[in-house]
Amino acid sequence: MKVMKFGGTSVGKPERMHQVKDLVTASDEPTIVVLSALSGTTNALVSIGEALAAADRILAKERIDALHTHYLNFYPQLLKTEKARINAEAIIKEHFEFLNIILKISFNEAINRDILAQGELLSTKLFYTLLEELEIPAVFLVALDFMSIDENSEPELGKISEKLKAILAQHPGEKLFITQGYICKNHRNEVDNLKRGGSDYTASLIAAAINASVCEIWTDIDGMHNNDPRIVDKTRPIAELSFDEAAELAYFGAKILHPASIWPAQQYNVPVRLLNTMDPQAHGTLIKADVETKGVKAIAAKDGITAIKIKSSRMLLAYGFLRRVFEIFEKYKTPIDMITTSEVAVSVTIDDTSHLKAIIAELEALGSVEVDQNQTIICIVGNMVSETRGAIKSVMDSLVDFPIRMVSYGGSRHNVSLLLDTQYKKDALQHLNEGVFNWD
Ligand code: ADP
Ligand code: ASP
Ligand code: MG
């Protein structure tokens, strides 16, 4: 069995949905198809929630109506027969009635998550209606019946696997299953989600849960590029990545993959393929366990980083000091991304600043604290330790003109991370692209 996930752009136009139908029906083994919401829909739902949070019902209503119009224009181009169009109309009516009812009740976070779930429910139902119209046998699976997260918002892979296998067992002989990315239930049994871009994570979790032969992530680009193609000129797709390399790139900002989407596939050794819906023949990127890597392979950047320096000439070298620092971050469930130490100070970076004030207050008991916001981590991935003396040199040479705040090297053999002010990011990435990859 395999998993095929299609992102927002891949289902965002009626003709693209038809292409998706061609790709999934060409599969020669049973397939679970995971769909995102139509491109733009989740952003629109977020903005509806924001209007409601600001108690601006008029604006929320305007936004609901604009999204509604988009769907009313979409389905007649997707479907031909009267019967299928009536079904689509009923689906759209149901979901927009739901949004309009929400306008009338008092808003809270749980309702916001219900709003966000509408996009994937709509896209999968419309796609399923297309399959019905074309008499292509398929089974519609509701992700909320098997996809769950615990009280720390971590997916419950064991439970997911058990439930999904039981559901699949009810459909022996079926070859095509359609389900939603992104959405799940939380420990309170409320509708929740796997955070923005979470459909990749759904696909990888499903692939792990059923031990799939492959997890295909179909998107709008021909695989993972060596640098962010949105801001850097002359990037190229990478043919192969190891799980560790891909996880590092995803975590440190390569938007093509949700930051946590590699570990489930890696844990169950399911290869992941990044493929282009607009160019299905392109090789894309294959992510698997053993990959021979020489030198620098790719670069990613993560914005919104805060650096915290704790300075204490008395205490740093005393054992137990770092433990006390880390305990404070642990207490506030705030992960640390980078760490550098010197004899008198330790610097760490975080991206979740929701408890920053409280963290600083406690750190001040250990020494003087300095905070720098609007920082960017640039993560350089490849084989940086063996056989690659020149690699670090070319990284540093490319960045001689940039003020680098932190450098982390040697934590793993496939990563060097640098921290600099976000204002230098674009130029730094471009310099690295030219200096490290040495292409004409
Ligand atoms: P989808 O809607 O299919 O999930 P996304 O927009 O989430 O697609 O991810 C694909 C986009 O990621 C690409 O269009 C590209 O602009 C962006 N991207 C950022 N960094 C990279 C990278 N290193 N390689 C490829 N794409 C990247
Ligand atoms: N629709 C969700 C989002 O836009 C999930 C996804 O596309 O992966 O974030
Ligand atoms: Mg995405």
Side-chain angles (χ1 to χ4, degrees), residues 5-8 36-38 41-43 116 119-120 181-182 195-201 258:
K5 176 259 167 176
F6 294 87
S36 294
L38 275 54
T41 296
T42 308
N43 285 346
L116 296 177
E120 272 68 14
Y182 180 59
K195 310 268 160 41
R196 296 304 307 272
S199 300
D200 304 325
Y201 204 8
H258 176 283

Side-chain angles (χ1 to χ4, degrees), residues 5 7-9 219-221 223-225 227-230 254-256:
K5 176 259 167 176
T9 338
T219 182
D220 58 1
I221 190 165
M224 176 77 80
H225 279 219
N227 212 327
D228 191 331
R230 292 168 302 177
K255 192 199 169 218
I256 188 170

